[in-house]
Amino acid sequence: MPKGYFVSKQKYIARERIKHLIDLAGKTFSKFPKRADHYIQLARKVAMKARIRIPSPLKKKFCKHCYRFLQPGITCRVRTKGGKVIYYCLHCKKYMRFPFLKEKKARKKKI
Ligand SMILES: [Zn+2]
């Protein structure tokens, strides 16, 4: 456990559990899609109980509207448009947008 970075041990454990649960959801999705959705629900509950945010790379793994696991090409469609990555949930037919302006700016600076 790195010092100073995490507020408390409980929150650190919760964060690890969330990572593990979402990872498991990804592994079981191909065989048991419903089980994957259940893991997402558990991960959300852990986050709410510990009052922490779900890390942003993991937020892209499930729909923020219906909380179902998103597998690009199967349960969601991924496109880029106007500096944003757009996830379209095929279940509830809603969009999630993630801007990548930071990455764009960083690339401009390098060149
Ligand atoms: Zn959805």
Side-chain angles (χ1 to χ4, degrees), residues 63-68 70 89-94:
C63 174
K64 72 171 183 181
H65 305 284
C66 64
Y67 312 118
R68 270 164 212 265
L70 293 179
C89 175
L90 296 176
H91 184 79
C92 65
K93 309 210 167 22
K94 281 180 183 171

Side-chain angles (χ1 to χ4, degrees), residues 15-48:
R15 211 167 267 127
E16 289 299 302
R17 284 202 70 189
I18 290 163
K19 276 182 207 166
H20 182 67
L21 281 165
I22 295 178
D23 194 41
L24 259 180
K27 280 176 188 166
T28 51
F29 179 78
S30 58
K31 282 183 183 174
F32 310 102
K34 276 190 181 173
R35 201 176 290 176
D37 296 340
H38 183 64
Y39 286 140
I40 298 295
Q41 279 178 12
L42 284 178
R44 282 188 70 244
K45 274 187 184 173
V46 172
M48 282 192 274

